[in-house]
Amino acid sequence: MSFPTTSSLASATFPNTAQPWHTQPSSQALELLQSDPEQGLPESQITQRQQYYGANELKETGGRSPLQILWEQFTNIMLVMLIAVAVVSAVLDLKNGTFPKDAIAIFLIVILNGILGYLQESRAEKALAALKNLSSPKVRVIRNGKTEEISAKDLVPGDIMLLEAGVSIAADGRLLEAQNLQVKESALTGEAEGVNKQAEVILNEDAPLGDRINLVFQGTEVIQGRAKVLVCKTGMDTEIGHIAAMLQSVESEPTPLQQRMSQLGNVLVSSSLILVAIVVIGGVLRTGWGLFEQLLEVSLSMAVAVVPEGLPAVVTVTLAIGTQRMVRRNALIRKLPAVETLGSVTTICSDKTGTLTQNKMVVQQVQTGCQSFQVTGEGYAPIGEFIPDEERYKTEYQDVQLLLRACVLCNDALLQEKQGSWEIIGDPTEGALLSLAGKAGIYQEALTPSLPRVGEIPFSSERKRMSVVVEGVMLPEQEPPYTMFTKGSPELILERCTHVINGDRPQPLTSEERENILFQNDQMAMQGLRVLGFACRAIEEIPSLESEEIAEQQLIWLGLVGMLDAPRKEVKGAVLRCREAGIRAIMITGDHQLTAQAIAYDLGIAQPGDQILTGRELERFNQSELEEKVEQVSVYARVSPEHKLRIVRALQNRGKFVAMTGDGVNDAPALKQADIGIAMGITGTDVSKEASDMILLDDNFATIVAATEEGRVVYSNIRRFIKYILGSNIGEVLVIAASPLLGLGGVPLSPLQILWMNLVTDGLPALALAMEPAEPNVMKRPPFSPRESIFARGLGLYMVRIGIIFAILTIGLMVWAYNHAQASGDPQRWKTMVFTTLCLAQMGHALAVRSDNRLTIQLNPMSNPYVLGAITLTTLLQLLLIYFAPLRNFFGTHWLSFTELAICFGFSALMFVWIEIEKIIVNAFFVSQKTSSKL
Ligand code: ATP
């Protein structure tokens, strides 16, 4: 094997990857790409190739272009209406011979709003792209003679990539070895059926893509089997790169709330148009055409006032902040709607292994036909004792020796020492078995070369077992050349056994022995141990996949291995928090019912006496019977992925809002069906991640609960600023409508001033309110229905009530200010006093609305410093509008005296006082209700 020796990129020769790889034998492909199937590429080559071929990434062709994002800002119905208002106002001004200041200002604001919206949205898109990187898949490769896991984007042509079931293939490649490999290529060819792949064949150059069974392609998924692949093409050179199809791994669809908000926008715009029509037509009918222009002026102001121009931007920003808060707590949101709906979860269905438990397995007990012993040790280090009779177990007893060899041979994991610590690549269950055998001095490197694997029937959650076939004689008096080892769920393996190794040779298995094994299995499971059963058999021919049922029969029982997988420490507290928050935690596991029960008791998911349902029992129920059961049962054991689907459906039919975890390929349908599908970031297959709404970066149940809490915070903050913004809009409309009715002559607020309020003096505090931290009771109340209206639970009423109070206060001030101003030298001043009072009252509202039931003095002002900051900034800006001459001229405001300003402050403060009094009354009412219900 020769590698380019020159160090500089320019002089190095790099293999040409544009070859018809399917026409070449694998050896030739290896030669062309200067790689080695056992060693992979050396370090020096990797960096050079990465620079030469570039990162293994598809350049995004999907998504929106910047121009598109900008254009969409101006197609927003609210902005369209503002443009219409600007045009009408310009026509009126030009007709009267005045400079169309309002119109120009509105245009400027429309453009500014468009640019702000553009900046916000493109930042949100960038944030999503960053999240996408976080969820970028990992690939197992051989480099420098070692197996390691790397990020898919670091793959280069010449890399040796290892594939297994559930993996999404990260580059195009030529198969070097394949065992029962079946790949779903629908992303590329549209073919829904799995394609069986073979390494040995050589094809004609014109073989269509779908028939190139010696190649694998990026973006397709391994359904079953394993393979070793030579990476031939990466990035945009791959087939999927050529057709520029893009697999979006983070979707940015509008959330239900955003959809409802745009519907609300439509409703408000149409109602404001109706309002304009009523005011103009009603006015013309009453007073004739004489006052038409004045009427038009009033109605234009009302139209602008009704529409909450700043709201859509605040909603988008809040959702983006929500995803960031969640990712800080290890929950990666893949579909934006999950941010707001997570808070509504009523039921969390969780796997056991790895999510509720640590997934750090250590074998503690072993039981063969005749021997039973304990094993000590921690972690995966192959260091520990066999108790009570160390030496004899480790070297002498034949049945123990055979079982330990089965642990190593019937295993797909790798145990490696890295910088003094022992790590595994692969399934922790299998890692624990390698560590067990290592404690007796039996290692993969020494054993596997003399007993090469020639066949296998892979593990799946449905089968709950796996078999491998090795070439070699392992049993006494064995004639057939191959030995098959099977491991898996003990009950299932035992059903297939006819013999047991007693001492050093197989003997027929008596029913007494059978019962004894099951008894021992139960004993181990009751201690919360995860138990695997082992068996073997001599065979003449390598079985095909189809013959699995026949091959895995007449087995010889080898023994039981019980491993400890301790519950995660933080989960017990998380389950308790769930209970307080009205959320039910349910365990759905493939493991034994007694193991599940022991862990469920420990974590508080079930209490002694609670029913536990197994997959077999579940199969006997029809869907309506199951729906009744799911109300009571919180632990499901020995289930298959299809049972998960049934359980989710049953819960949903009972009106539950279900979050469900999953990691395997076959969990995808259940994840899609669940209201929130949750995939495991560490152990999850790419397929399950693709199907999920959220990924747990640490695989931890407690993270789901944390994300639910964040979801609740996001939703309550959204409600908070909606009531803040819309309450003010209602107030503004009423004040504008009142002034002509009271005969004050003229509109108190120009469209420009209203826009200023809606976008700046309302917008900034609203953004600050979106940063509000969790209220202390956020996880002490039941979840709210995701289907409830955003105005439910008194929000609509609050808005109207506060809008009216707002209006009464301001109208009170308006009447006084009008009379006061007529007597002063500047009769138009009252308008500025109304404008200022409306703005300042909203500052008080922002302070008070931070909590629904706690008084502002009970809140720590620094728990959300943004609110104080926004209020100070906005008040200063408002003062600038009054006291800074150029702004005063631009916004058409008037200078106010100190007393006038103080009066505005005084009236505004009443708004704050009112809301605080409301809280006192409501709290007192609840206290008296609680006491009377206790009596
Ligand atoms: P959970 O569903 O909570 O993650 P689980 O890991 O037990 O629990 P599965 O992965 O579906 O669920 O496994 C089901 C059963 O299959 C296990 O209880 C075990 O008996 C058996 N099993 C698990 N891993 C292997 C393996 N690598 N080889 C053989 N059998 C296995």
Side-chain angles (χ1 to χ4, degrees):
M1 187 69 27
S2 70
F3 292 103
T5 47
T6 37
S7 58
S8 91
L9 263 187
S11 52
T13 47
F14 289 94
N16 176 9
T17 57
Q19 309 271 348
W21 296 106
H22 56 286
T23 62
Q24 296 168 3
S26 55
S27 54
Q28 192 182 337
L30 279 163
E31 211 164 295
L32 276 168
L33 284 170
Q34 301 165 1
S35 189
D36 182 287
E38 306 308 326
Q39 298 296 315
L41 292 172
E43 197 59 52
S44 57
Q45 271 291 307
I46 295 161
T47 355
Q48 286 194 1
R49 288 194 185 194
Q50 267 165 355
Q51 284 174 31
Y52 181 76
Y53 295 106
N56 177 32
E57 283 170 334
L58 292 182
K59 304 231 166 42
E60 285 207 27
T61 53
R64 295 177 299 165
S65 71
L67 214 65
Q68 242 175 327
I69 302 182
L70 192 63
W71 169 245
E72 278 169 25
Q73 304 306 315
F74 296 99
T75 53
N76 173 331
I77 180 103
M78 296 190 205
L79 287 192
V80 172
M81 198 194 69
L82 283 183
I83 294 171
V85 169
V87 171
V88 177
S89 146
V91 171
L92 284 183
D93 280 345
L94 291 175
K95 212 178 118 224
N96 294 338
T98 42
F99 183 67
K101 198 175 59 184
D102 273 0
I104 292 176
I106 296 175
F107 269 124
L108 282 180
I109 285 197
V110 165
I111 291 171
L112 194 71
N113 197 48
I115 293 174
L116 277 182
Y118 166 78
L119 289 179
Q120 264 157 3
E121 285 204 25
S122 49
R123 190 144 24 101
E125 296 236 329
K126 275 199 198 119
L128 281 177
L131 291 183
K132 205 150 74 175
N133 262 345
L134 258 181
S135 66
S136 143
K138 293 258 180 288
V139 190
R140 237 205 250 193
V141 290
I142 301 178
R143 284 179 169 181
N144 292 313
K146 287 204 184 100
T147 304
E148 50 185 291
E149 260 184 0
I150 61 162
S151 176
K153 67 178 191 318
D154 295 334
L155 273 179
V156 289
D159 261 327
I160 305 294
M161 173 165 73
L162 302 174
L163 301 180
E164 59 188 11
V167 160
S168 168
I169 299 173
D172 287 5
R174 172 70 167 89
L175 287 175
L176 302 175
E177 291 166 23
Q179 285 98 30
N180 305 320
L181 186 71
Q182 209 179 64
V183 178
K184 189 169 150 202
E185 296 189 332
S186 54
L188 195 63
T189 60
E191 174 61 55
E193 290 287 302
V195 184
N196 290 313
K197 297 277 179 175
Q198 285 168 32
E200 297 77 25
V201 290
I202 295 165
L203 301 164
N204 284 336
E205 184 154 359
D206 57 359
L209 212 57
D211 293 349
R212 297 186 187 172
I213 56 169
N214 53 6
L215 300 185
V216 290
F217 301 105
Q218 179 178 24
T220 60
E221 294 159 1
V222 179
I223 306 176
Q224 65 175 37
R226 299 192 310 140
K228 194 186 253 190
V229 174
L230 170 72
V231 172
C232 301
K233 292 177 180 177
T234 56
M236 292 306 281
D237 287 341
T238 59
E239 290 300 331
I240 208 151
H242 282 165
I243 58 170
M246 182 56 208
L247 283 175
Q248 291 281 355
S249 76
V250 177
E251 292 166 23
S252 54
E253 61 200 78
T255 71
L257 185 72
Q258 284 174 316
Q259 284 165 4
R260 272 188 270 162
M261 282 293 116
S262 71
Q263 278 164 8
L264 180 75
N266 293 346
V267 172
L268 288 175
V269 168
S270 13
S271 39
S272 72
L273 290 179
I274 295 173
L275 213 65
V276 171
I278 293 175
V279 173
V280 175
I281 297 172
V284 169
L285 285 182
R286 223 158 41 98
T287 56
W289 288 99
L291 291 176
F292 176 72
E293 276 187 21
Q294 216 181 342
L295 288 170
L296 204 56
E297 215 184 315
V298 175
S299 53
L300 287 186
S301 290
M302 282 170 79
V304 180
V306 138
V307 179
E309 288 84 2
L311 196 54
V314 186
V315 171
T316 311
V317 171
T318 312
L319 292 173
I321 293 172
T323 55
Q324 278 163 11
R325 277 194 193 179
M326 288 181 186
V327 88
R328 255 182 260 134
R329 298 182 80 170
N330 283 327
L332 177 68
I333 298 296
R334 289 193 61 251
K335 296 182 185 159
L336 211 51
V339 182
E340 59 176 80
T341 46
L342 254 167
S344 305
V345 165
T346 62
T347 315
I348 303 177
C349 297
S350 172
D351 284 343
K352 172 180 72 66
T353 312
T355 319
L356 298 171
T357 64
Q358 297 177 4
N359 212 7
K360 288 187 186 140
M361 316 262 178
V362 191
V363 173
Q364 291 205 323
Q365 287 185 34
V366 179
Q367 176 90 44
T368 63
C370 321
Q371 310 298 335
S372 161
F373 57 92
Q374 311 275 327
V375 186
T376 65
E378 273 179 17
Y380 293 109
I383 306 162
E385 290 175 19
F386 287 11
I387 298 172
D389 198 351
E390 172 86 342
E391 279 320 302
R392 303 186 83 177
Y393 292 121
K394 283 192 174 174
T395 53
E396 241 173 63
Y397 296 126
Q398 287 308 304
D399 52 349
V400 177
Q401 294 304 306
L402 199 54
L403 177 64
L404 294 176
R405 281 172 172 71
C407 287
V408 173
L409 295 169
C410 190
N411 200 315
D412 290 329
L414 284 175
L415 182 66
Q416 290 177 340
E417 191 183 10
K418 256 191 191 167
Q419 289 149 1
S421 79
W422 288 85
E423 289 172 7
I424 53 149
I425 297 184
D427 181 1
T429 306
E430 302 200 329
L433 299 173
L434 294 178
S435 159
L436 168 74
K439 286 173 188 171
I442 301 171
Y443 290 99
Q444 280 166 310
E445 307 83 76
L447 196 62
T448 41
S450 55
L451 294 160
R453 188 188 288 195
V454 289
E456 67 182 65
I457 309 173
F459 171 79
S460 76
S461 289
E462 284 92 352
R463 287 174 21 86
K464 296 187 175 49
R465 61 183 186 276
M466 68 176 275
S467 298
V468 302
V469 182
V470 295
E471 192 175 351
V473 172
M474 308 272 308
L475 292 159
E477 295 161 24
Q478 174 179 350
E479 272 181 15
Y482 303 115
T483 314
M484 184 176 86
F485 290 100
T486 305
K487 79 171 191 300
S489 148
E491 318 88 272
L492 286 178
I493 305 282
L494 191 62
E495 273 173 14
R496 290 167 168 73
C497 287
T498 49
H499 288 69
V500 57
I501 298 265
N502 267 336
D504 59 357
R505 53 196 57 245
Q507 284 172 3
L509 189 62
T510 64
S511 52
E512 218 170 89
E513 280 168 325
R514 214 177 266 278
E515 265 171 37
N516 193 27
I517 292 170
L518 288 177
F519 176 74
Q520 287 156 353
N521 179 28
D522 287 357
Q523 291 298 310
M524 286 195 205
M526 263 193 274
Q527 299 166 40
L529 295 184
R530 178 174 173 81
V531 195
L532 285 187
F534 285 79
C536 68
R537 160 183 189 194
I539 51 173
E540 278 169 26
E541 274 177 32
I542 303 170
S544 66
L545 259 193
E546 295 71 40
S547 64
E548 53 153 305
E549 269 307 319
I550 307 163
E552 288 172 338
Q553 290 295 348
Q554 301 190 331
L555 302 178
I556 306 165
W557 179 255
L558 290 175
L560 293 168
V561 173
M563 51 191 87
L564 179 75
D565 180 16
R568 287 177 182 268
K569 284 194 188 65
E570 57 281 19
V571 168
K572 200 168 181 169
V575 171
L576 193 70
R577 295 189 71 207
C578 278
R579 187 153 329 120
E580 286 172 349
I583 302 171
R584 206 165 128 216
I586 292 182
M587 177 197 282
I588 304 183
T589 176
D591 217 333
H592 193 278
Q593 57 271 35
L594 291 174
T595 313
Q597 187 182 45
I599 307 262
Y601 285 173
D602 190 9
L603 295 174
I605 291 178
Q607 315 300 327
D610 285 358
Q611 191 184 357
I612 288 175
L613 212 59
T614 63
R616 278 198 188 161
E617 289 163 340
L618 196 143
E619 262 165 23
R620 289 201 296 270
F621 297 128
N622 62 30
Q623 198 62 14
S624 69
E625 285 167 335
L626 184 63
E627 278 174 30
E628 262 173 45
K629 281 281 167 203
V630 294
E631 294 282 357
Q632 302 131 29
V633 179
S634 294
V635 180
Y636 299 84
R638 285 286 185 237
V639 292
S640 305
E642 84 245 22
H643 297 143
K644 283 190 174 181
L645 189 62
R646 286 192 61 199
I647 297 170
V648 178
R649 288 214 175 111
L651 284 163
Q652 286 174 329
N653 288 348
R654 285 276 158 160
K656 308 284 186 264
F657 197 75
V658 186
M660 157 81 80
T661 68
D663 48 13
V665 198
N666 304 338
D667 286 336
L671 291 181
K672 283 205 177 123
Q673 175 70 34
D675 299 290
I676 309 272
I678 305 172
M680 299 297 138
I682 304 171
T683 56
T685 52
D686 300 338
V687 179
S688 65
K689 289 181 191 165
E690 278 293 320
S692 68
D693 300 292
M694 176 170 110
I695 298 178
L696 297 183
L697 296 177
D698 58 358
D699 289 12
N700 192 339
F701 176 83
T703 301
I704 309 176
V705 184
T708 311
E709 178 182 342
E710 289 297 347
R712 289 186 176 196
V713 175
V714 167
Y715 190 65
S716 63
N717 282 348
I718 289 177
R719 277 174 54 95
R720 202 185 311 286
F721 62 66
I722 285 183
K723 65 185 187 183
Y724 169 73
I725 289 182
L726 292 185
S728 143
N729 284 45
I730 295 176
E732 286 166 22
V733 176
L734 293 179
V735 173
I736 298 169
S739 85
L741 288 180
L742 293 169
L744 301 186
V747 198
L749 303 163
S750 69
L752 181 59
Q753 292 168 348
I754 297 169
L755 277 184
W756 167 261
M757 281 198 293
N758 287 0
L759 289 170
V760 183
T761 60
D762 278 3
L764 287 179
L767 271 180
L769 286 171
M771 310 291 280
E772 197 61 31
E775 290 223 48
N777 68 347
V778 71
M779 290 300 269
K780 301 247 184 312
R781 56 156 180 82
F784 299 127
S785 162
R787 285 169 272 276
E788 73 169 22
S789 147
I790 189 85
F791 301 115
R793 284 179 286 120
L795 192 140
L797 206 67
Y798 174 94
M799 274 163 27
V800 175
R801 194 174 65 239
I802 291 300
I804 293 174
I805 301 296
F806 217 138
I808 292 175
L809 286 176
T810 321
I811 292 169
L813 172 114
M814 182 161 72
V815 173
W816 175 85
Y818 180 78
N819 293 325
H820 161 80
Q822 301 316 306
S824 76
D826 181 3
Q828 293 299 316
R829 257 178 205 202
W830 66 278
K831 294 187 179 175
T832 302
M833 287 180 74
V834 170
F835 176 37
T836 308
T837 308
L838 277 174
C839 289
L840 295 181
Q842 269 296 76
M843 300 305 105
H845 191 190
L847 262 189
V849 84
R850 283 188 60 202
S851 173
D852 292 343
N853 44 23
R854 284 182 303 155
L855 296 180
T856 306
I857 42 167
Q858 294 172 318
L859 300 175
N860 172 5
M862 294 326 279
S863 63
N864 186 356
Y866 302 101
V867 169
L868 276 190
I871 289 177
T872 318
L873 181 66
T874 317
T875 311
L876 286 177
L877 287 173
Q878 182 64 22
L879 292 180
L880 275 183
L881 250 59
I882 304 172
Y883 296 109
F884 183 51
L887 282 178
R888 192 163 61 224
N889 291 338
F890 184 77
F891 278 89
T893 52
H894 297 259
W895 190 87
L896 296 183
S897 72
F898 178 75
T899 327
E900 286 163 342
L901 187 67
I903 289 172
C904 292
F905 267 100
F907 265 89
S908 318
L910 291 177
M911 186 73 206
F912 172 77
V913 174
W914 173 274
I915 302 175
E916 295 294 285
I917 292 176
E918 264 196 6
K919 286 188 203 167
I920 296 174
I921 296 172
V922 171
N923 286 348
F925 177 71
F926 273 117
V927 170
S928 72
Q929 258 204 341
K930 263 191 195 162
T931 359
S932 61
S933 67
K934 268 187 195 159
L935 291 173

